[in-house]
Every structure is written in C-alpha cells, then in structure tokens.
C-alpha cells in the first residue's frame, strides 16, 4: 500500500494518532514537526515531502505527540520528556530501520530514540525556541493580547519551558543536517527556499519539498 492512511500508536501515557505514507516495509521515516505554531505553518510542506518519499518507495509516518496536533493531551499538560518517550516507543515498534525526519524544534523530540539515522532540517535548540516564544509573548503583552502563561497562542507550563531551555538536538551516529542557503550555520547540504516556519500563515514549497525528499532518499540509500 502506498496511499495515505490513518493509524495510531501506543506509548506508556496512552494512544496517539498518526498518518502513514507509502509502503509499510523497508526503511520508515518518522517525521517530527516543529513545536507550537511552527507546526501549523509547516504541516502541508512536511506532507509534501512524505508523499514524494512515498513515490520513491520510502514509507513514512507523521505522528501526533502528547500535546501536539490532535492529541488528547492539552498543550498546558505537555512535557518534552513525554513527547520524547512517545517518539521512542514508536521507533521501538518500527524496529531497526527507522529514520528521523525532524524540522526545526522537532529535532528536540527524537533524541531518546534508537534510530538508524537522523535527518534534521534547520534544527533548533530549545534555548532558541524559548527566546522566540519570549519575544512573541513580549510583543503580544505590549498589545494587551497575552494572557498569563500564554506563548504565541499556546498555554505552556513552567515545567515544559524548563525542559525546553536545556534541550538540544542529538547529533551523534549517522546524522545529516540540512539548512536553507540563507542560514550561515554549518550543514551537510543547503537548498534555496523560503523559511515557511517564519510566515504568518501556513504555506508550501513543492520544489523545495521535492529536493529535500531526494536528499533524504539518497542519504538513506547511502
């Protein structure tokens, strides 16, 4: 089967939903969207990457993690440690041939999983993310639009913010980091495209998605 299917997975805290793309055998890519509002801005783009991987014969999953997407866990109750446990549980269910495809702060979620490799697009540290959240909250506060405990439209607990401040992507083992050509930080490859996670509305870049899918498929094959 190579079409889009709905599925679920279990972890110690319950059951979460996920989308399946492409075949169920062979290497499987687990996609982790950025946390919070950036997830909404990049979901369509990520799905385009995963559909293109399916066309290349590579299966993938787009899971919800506790406190993200359609999860029954409220955002205020979300913890990075729980999201990491859920990711690890899913990777264990898949076995030895699972790979991370993590975008921005999604790279903070795959750290505890045993994976065949990690492919990160513009990976973001937790400290960088918290600074972005603080700037957004400060701007909203000046406009009188930031209720207590709300960051960019999300109510976050002090525990979540504390976990994020010290979180960094995992870079050991088989690791590929890809950035846009406007980003001066070190990368294994760079591509031309707009940072969709910075836009005010959800968007897509089909050409870039196809280029990234090609990069991922060649990286897995190598």
């Amino acid at each position: 089967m190579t079409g889009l299917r709905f599925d679920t997975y279990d972890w110690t805290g319950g059951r979460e939903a996920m989308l399946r793309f492409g075949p169920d055998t062979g290497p499987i890519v687990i996609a982790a969207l950025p946390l919070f509002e950036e997830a909404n801005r990049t979901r369509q783009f990520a799905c385009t990457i995963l559909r293109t991987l399916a066309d290349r014969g590579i299966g993938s999953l787009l899971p919800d993690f506790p406190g993200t997407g359609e999860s029954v866990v409220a955002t205020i109750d979300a913890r990075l440690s729980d999201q990491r446990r859920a990711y690890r549980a899913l990777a264990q269910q898949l076995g030895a041939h699972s790979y991370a495809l993590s975008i921005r702060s999604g790279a903070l979620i795959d750290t505890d999983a045993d994976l065949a490799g990690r492919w990160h697009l513009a990976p973001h540290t937790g400290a960088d993310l918290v600074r972005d959240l603080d700037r957004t909250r400060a701007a909203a506060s000046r406009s009188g639009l930031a209720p207590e405990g709300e960051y960019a439209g999300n109510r976050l607990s002090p525990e979540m913010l504390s976990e994020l401040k010290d979180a960094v992507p995992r870079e050991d083992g088989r690791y590929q980091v890809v950035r846009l050509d406007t980003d001066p930080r070190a990368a294994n490859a760079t591509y031309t495209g707009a940072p969709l996670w910075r836009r005010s509305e959800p968007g897509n870049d089909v050409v870039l998605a196809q280029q990234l899918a090609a990069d991922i498929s060649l990286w897995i094959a190598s």
Side-chain angles (χ1 to χ4, degrees):
M1 296 178 65
T2 59
L4 170 65
R5 291 98 68 205
F6 294 92
D7 203 347
T8 60
Y9 71 98
D10 294 317
W11 68 291
T12 55
R15 176 169 292 178
E16 298 290 350
M18 64 181 176
L19 297 177
R20 283 185 175 269
F21 299 79
D24 295 329
T25 58
I28 300 292
V29 169
I30 305 174
L33 298 176
L35 292 168
F36 313 128
E37 188 57 33
E38 289 189 4
N40 298 325
R41 300 170 187 159
T42 57
R43 180 177 293 274
Q44 183 181 3
F45 175 63
C47 287
T48 302
I49 296 175
L50 301 183
R51 289 182 186 278
T52 307
L53 286 175
D55 291 340
R56 291 173 169 266
I58 297 175
S60 60
L61 308 174
L62 180 59
D64 288 338
F65 299 108
T68 74
E70 301 302 318
S71 172
V72 296
V73 177
T75 306
I76 188 64
D77 296 323
R79 303 290 185 271
L80 180 62
S81 52
D82 286 341
Q83 294 168 347
R84 287 173 168 176
R85 277 192 285 270
Y87 191 111
R88 181 174 182 173
L90 177 56
Q92 287 177 331
Q93 294 167 31
L94 295 175
H97 299 292
S98 54
Y99 295 82
L101 187 177
S102 301
I103 301 174
R104 297 278 284 169
S105 56
L108 305 176
I109 302 176
D110 68 45
T111 57
D112 295 345
D114 295 323
L115 298 164
R118 287 173 169 80
W119 187 99
H120 289 169
L121 174 61
H124 210 31
T125 69
D128 288 339
L129 174 57
V130 172
R131 279 193 290 270
D132 285 349
L133 291 171
D134 285 340
R135 282 194 292 266
T136 303
R137 176 169 169 74
S141 295
R142 288 193 293 270
S143 303
L145 300 175
E148 182 67 26
E150 186 170 300
Y151 295 78
N154 298 281
R155 292 187 64 226
L156 306 180
S157 68
E159 293 83 1
M160 180 63 159
L161 293 169
S162 177
E163 288 183 340
L164 285 172
K165 286 177 181 177
D166 297 324
V168 294
R170 181 171 169 178
E171 300 178 356
D172 62 340
R174 191 172 179 207
Y175 183 58
Q176 175 92 336
V177 58
V178 173
R179 299 188 186 278
L180 301 182
D181 58 6
T182 52
D183 188 337
R185 291 172 292 180
N188 298 106
T190 58
Y191 292 90
T192 299
L196 298 174
W197 47 85
R198 294 295 189 192
R199 291 184 175 177
S200 58
E201 298 292 335
N204 200 3
D205 185 331
V206 174
V207 172
L208 178 59
Q210 292 172 340
Q211 292 174 329
L212 297 181
D215 189 290
I216 295 165
S217 61
L218 290 173
W219 172 70
I220 290 175
S222 67

